[in-house]
Amino acid sequence: MAVAGWAYWHLDHNIQGVDIDHALGDDRPRERPAAASSPAGPAAASPLPTGAVNILVLGSDSRSGGRNAALGGGDSGGARSDTAMVVHVDPGRTSATVVSIPRDTLVTRPSCPLPSGRTTAVAYGTMFNSAYEVGGPVCAVKTAESLTGVRMDHYVEIDFSGFAGLVDALGGVSVTTDEDIDDDKSHLHLPAGTHHLDGTRALALARTRHGLGDGSDLGRIGLQQKLVRALLERVSGSGLPSDPAGLYRVADAVTGSLTTDTGLDSLGELTDFARSLKGLTADRVRTVTMPVVPAPSDPNRVVAKEPAASRLWESLR
């Protein structure tokens, strides 16, 4: 019991929470009405949620800590959202849509509150991933909501070391690439074909862009979506629920590098949320990219393609 208690305390204290609801107040898209919940089990204290939910998931390029520095280089300042996805889970929580937002998308970044009590200035025609850099998770959520018109019910951020650790704790993932990848910047060199990747190489695959196609962010997003599906398939087939040691390794790898909103910042809340998704399998997850076109002001950047982008976001509200 003492070991179990320590393990719970350790995992629970790994998670960092950000009170996004308090920081943003009422200046947000309309909240979805609460849906009915399902029983969590005979010994459960509260029922599990079953309603639709939208989650902003960011992969951060923070270099804080030795493991992150080794994986990404640079210093701990000026971190940006290296990867951004809006995960929409449908009512009943047995199917989902994952929408990637290219980090090079030019947006109007709204004024965001800062922990100091000050606010950032509105910025026009700036890259989407700059929001995290100037205002952290709160500004990332506000910018995503401004771009999409979709209220983000939750926020989840994982850094380099957390992603690599998750892949390693799962025993690696298998991904098929359609073309050779030769990228000195990400230190990744793979011939076309199927590869079983450890955490370091899976992270390199998620970040590579210079050795693929035209070097744009759109080619990299395709690889990231393959990794998402590979991770889901790995989790589904890993037998983790019956393997306490394996489950602990995965939980320790993830929670040690995880930042969430205050609705998910405890082990109990995360566990209940994960259990509410037990019917969601990899084959019920659709991955898409926000429709974009080259930006008129800069051919190396993109802007949302209308009205296709608005129609996509409307389907997730």
Side-chain angles (χ1 to χ4, degrees), residues 60-203:
S60 164
D61 69 353
S62 169
R63 271 69 166 186
S64 60
R67 173 77 165 144
N68 278 322
L71 290 168
D75 56 32
S76 60
R80 292 168 296 184
S81 53
D82 202 54
T83 302
M85 297 178 175
V86 175
V87 179
H88 172 80
V89 182
D90 293 320
R93 304 201 175 185
T94 59
S95 60
T97 300
V98 178
V99 184
S100 296
I101 301 176
R103 69 175 191 175
D104 294 343
T105 304
L106 297 183
V107 300
T108 296
R109 190 181 68 228
S111 175
C112 298
L114 298 173
S116 65
R118 301 176 65 185
T119 58
T120 66
V122 176
Y124 300 95
T126 189
M127 284 173 56
F128 175 81
N129 71 338
S130 70
Y132 183 92
E133 184 177 13
V134 302
V138 170
C139 197
V141 169
K142 187 164 187 180
T143 302
E145 290 184 341
S146 175
L147 172 67
T148 66
V150 175
R151 186 183 180 100
M152 301 300 152
D153 302 298
H154 291 299
Y155 170 84
V156 175
E157 174 195 331
I158 189 166
D159 63 21
F160 287 175
S161 64
F163 178 82
L166 169 61
V167 172
D168 284 336
L170 289 170
V173 293
S174 294
V175 177
T176 300
T177 58
D178 299 322
E179 58 183 283
D180 295 346
I181 298 174
D182 189 18
D183 188 354
D184 290 332
K185 289 184 178 293
S186 65
H187 308 292
L188 186 66
H189 304 277
L190 289 176
T194 300
H195 307 276
H196 192 75
L197 307 176
D198 64 8
T200 299
R201 293 212 300 166
L203 176 64

Side-chain angles (χ1 to χ4, degrees), residues 253-310:
V254 174
T255 59
S257 301
L258 198 67
T259 301
T260 73
D261 65 281
T262 48
L264 291 177
D265 66 347
S266 73
L267 189 58
E269 289 167 327
L270 274 177
T271 300
D272 283 349
F273 180 71
R275 291 172 63 211
S276 79
L277 303 177
K278 63 182 179 181
L280 180 62
T281 55
D283 62 327
R284 301 293 302 277
V285 176
R286 180 173 67 119
T287 56
V288 298
T289 302
M290 181 183 77
V292 295
V293 293
S297 61
D298 185 345
N300 295 317
R301 302 287 180 257
V302 296
V303 293
K305 180 181 180 180
E306 298 296 355
S310 291

